[in-house]
Amino acid sequence: MDVLSGISFAGGLALFLYGMRIMGDALKRCSSGTLQRAIEKVTNNNFKSFLMGLFVTAMIQSSTATIVITSGLVGAGIISLHQSLGIILGANVGTTITGQIIRILDISSTGGFSIATLFQPFCLASITATIGIIIIMNCKSKSSSTIGDILLGFAILFMGLVNITNSVAGLSESTAFAGYFAEIARYPILGFLSGLVVCAIIQSSSATVGILQALSITGRLTFVAIYPILLGIFMGDCIKTAFFCGVNARADAKRTGIIHVIFNIFQAILILVVVYIAKKLGYLDNIWTAKMNSSAIANTNTILKLFGAIVLLPCCNYFERLSRIIIKDDPETMFLNKVLNRLDTKLFVSPVLALSAVNSILTEMSSVLKDCFEKSMNALLTLQIDKDTKKFLSAVENNVDAVTDNAQIYLMKLSTKARESGDSKLISYYENCAAEYERAFDAAYEIFEYAMEMQERDIVFSNYAIKELRVLQEAVGQIIDYTQKAFLQRTFTAARYIEPLEQVIDAMTETVNQNHMQRLTDGECTNTAGFFFFNVLRQIEVLSDKCSNIGVFIISYNNSAIARTHHEYLRKLHKYGDTVFDEEYKKHFEHFMPKLELASQNGAGNQQKLFDEQLN
């Protein structure tokens, strides 16, 4: 193999890898919907997951992409580690489809033109390249452009393969080349290491098998030399995948990559044992030293991987247990700190899945909000602040801002990937909701800070104030419940119940504010306690307003006309109302206002005695 042949080989390999990348990226774009629907159908049935992994990998032409995406889904909590097991094994088999495509090289025609001639690599590459470039230049739609990219990538891949094949043709006469494969036959470890190193360098098992298929033109490749190289390729591919899965990932996502490595180790051992026994029993005598062509290599690759997957599929649960021994669980931390790991950029390949991860985080935030508010109000009204409550609320405060910032950055990055996917509207909706939830948490924590300061300074509210705040606490707790339900359903029907209650809360805070002003005027309240009371009322109003804003965003998401003029929508709703608004407003007003009037009446208790002492 001279210098020119080496240059031709390198150029052919470059074209092959570039063509595979173009074709793979285009296949991913056109199959993202398929991928999404397939992921949604994942069950705890490993066989179904296996078929899904096989199908998706065959569609996108990359086992690494499938497993890395799966790792991202596990990290995001969309699927469990257990559900990913079958997908990993299926992806291992699905990647052999590239070798089956390359075996077209073995189709030959015998003189003159025939249909078979059209399937010769150079002819097939020329035809697909011509069709692909015509589609790209003349069709303006996104789907047509994607089809053109697939055809063009396919053509470049085959042109590269032709280059590689032509460049190694001279090796058939090379004694050194023949000697190397003779050594591999004697020492299989050399073949194993060759496959592993080459696959690790070029970062593609499909391309490495393709090179092996191209080398088959020399007539020097035999089964005894080929199978250890294939085992090395299996390991080289899975080690690279494990690395990608482990970068900035949570424990279960890392385990996805480790399971791929464990599976391939056991697969290699299984194949070695079976080949050894079959050779000893004489079952492989006919093919042991037989020359392998491109088709034989493709079939051997597929059969070995399919055999390993079928035999080891029942052992998936043991692989999962072993991965948990190797990768220890994350240390116990607050959930809001852990959810940051769900924002995995690996999910950008399917914006729907990435948005699902953001939705899961905001859903958790909505469920934690009420707990924060209730703990803050109870601390304020009893001035009994235990260590657990302080630790919980402090952890939430420290993490909510980080979670929100990361979610918004994640959505900003995703927006550049999703411009053409129709998800921009949902991205904007989540950005707005994330900002409102952050401010709602800030309001809840402000109330807790007032509670800590009042405890430190021995300041207490009168019994009147406490009873009024208890009524407000109930109303705000209910509007948080409405908001959480509406966010989960994301429907106009669920969201329209928020605004009537928000208006009642506004009326309540105004009434309470006037009552307290009167108490200050009558000397029934201290100025210091009044300062804290008015500030708490302000934070209650803020929290209620944030729930209202989220409700409006949900309504706007469902009605594009309202989205453009939501301030006008609220103005008209407050002025003129509608049937649902009027009925809900009346229901809440008649429920809470009498309670508030009762709370304003004089009462007795330890809290009132403490307040009277302060007043005197």
Side-chain angles (χ1 to χ4, degrees), residues 507-575:
M508 291 169 68
T509 54
E510 179 62 29
T511 299
V512 171
N513 187 73
Q514 291 175 2
N515 289 346
H516 204 71
M517 286 292 292
Q518 187 62 49
R519 290 196 290 269
L520 280 171
T521 302
D522 295 342
E524 297 176 356
C525 178
T526 67
N527 290 328
T528 305
F531 169 80
F532 284 100
F533 188 82
F534 290 132
N535 280 327
V536 169
L537 283 183
R538 187 179 303 113
Q539 297 309 319
I540 286 174
E541 280 188 300
V542 168
L543 208 159
S544 175
D545 286 342
K546 298 309 148 188
C547 290
S548 169
N549 291 344
I550 292 170
V552 172
F553 290 139
I554 297 169
I555 291 171
S556 300
Y557 178 81
N558 287 277
N559 189 320
S560 55
I562 293 176
R564 292 189 294 270
T565 58
H566 61 268
H567 293 297
E568 182 65 16
Y569 165 77
L570 286 178
R571 189 188 69 80
K572 289 181 178 180
L573 189 65
H574 296 166
K575 187 173 182 180

Side-chain angles (χ1 to χ4, degrees), residues 203-234:
Q203 299 285 288
S204 172
S205 61
S206 297
T208 311
V209 173
I211 293 172
L212 206 56
Q213 289 177 274
L215 289 172
S216 67
I217 195 175
T218 64
R220 300 289 187 177
L221 276 59
T222 59
F223 177 82
V224 65
I226 287 300
Y227 86 87
I229 296 176
L230 291 175
L231 296 183
I233 293 171
F234 298 168

Side-chain angles (χ1 to χ4, degrees), residues 90-298:
N92 238 27
V93 178
T95 192
T96 64
I97 191 68
T98 306
Q100 294 296 337
I101 294 172
I102 293 172
R103 67 182 292 185
I104 293 173
L105 277 168
D106 276 354
I107 299 176
S108 59
S109 56
T110 55
F113 176 81
S114 68
I115 295 298
T117 306
L118 297 176
F119 292 94
Q120 289 293 293
F122 184 76
C123 185
L124 193 63
S126 300
I127 293 171
T128 54
T130 302
I131 297 172
I133 200 67
I134 289 173
I135 292 174
I136 290 172
M137 293 179 68
N138 294 283
C139 299
K140 303 302 181 183
S141 69
K142 179 185 173 184
S143 58
S144 298
S145 178
T146 300
I147 292 171
D149 286 343
I150 293 171
L151 293 173
L152 198 58
F154 186 81
I156 295 172
L157 183 153
F158 266 84
M159 286 177 179
L161 196 59
V162 170
N163 251 30
I164 293 172
T165 304
N166 292 337
S167 67
V168 300
L171 291 177
S172 59
E173 307 298 329
S174 171
T175 55
F177 184 76
Y180 177 72
F181 276 93
E183 286 297 304
I184 290 178
R186 291 175 57 196
Y187 304 106
I189 188 64
L190 290 176
F192 177 84
L193 292 175
S194 298
L196 191 153
V197 170
V198 173
C199 184
I201 290 173
I202 67 176
Q203 299 285 288
S204 172
S205 61
S206 297
T208 311
V209 173
I211 293 172
L212 206 56
Q213 289 177 274
L215 289 172
S216 67
I217 195 175
T218 64
R220 300 289 187 177
L221 276 59
T222 59
F223 177 82
V224 65
I226 287 300
Y227 86 87
I229 296 176
L230 291 175
L231 296 183
I233 293 171
F234 298 168
M235 291 307 303
D237 188 45
C238 72
I239 291 172
K240 172 195 65 177
T241 305
F243 171 77
F244 286 133
C245 290
V247 176
N248 296 324
R250 58 180 291 201
D252 272 354
K254 292 177 181 177
R255 290 181 184 127
T256 307
I258 290 296
I259 288 171
H260 191 212
V261 174
I262 293 171
F263 166 73
N264 276 281
I265 291 173
F266 277 89
Q267 178 180 244
I269 294 171
L270 173 67
I271 291 171
L272 285 172
V273 170
V274 171
V275 167
Y276 177 79
I277 294 173
K279 179 66 173 67
K280 286 295 183 182
L281 296 176
Y283 294 134
L284 299 179
D285 289 347
N286 291 333
I287 66 167
W288 192 250
T289 57
K291 294 179 180 179
M292 305 281 284
N293 57 21
S294 181
S295 293
I297 293 172

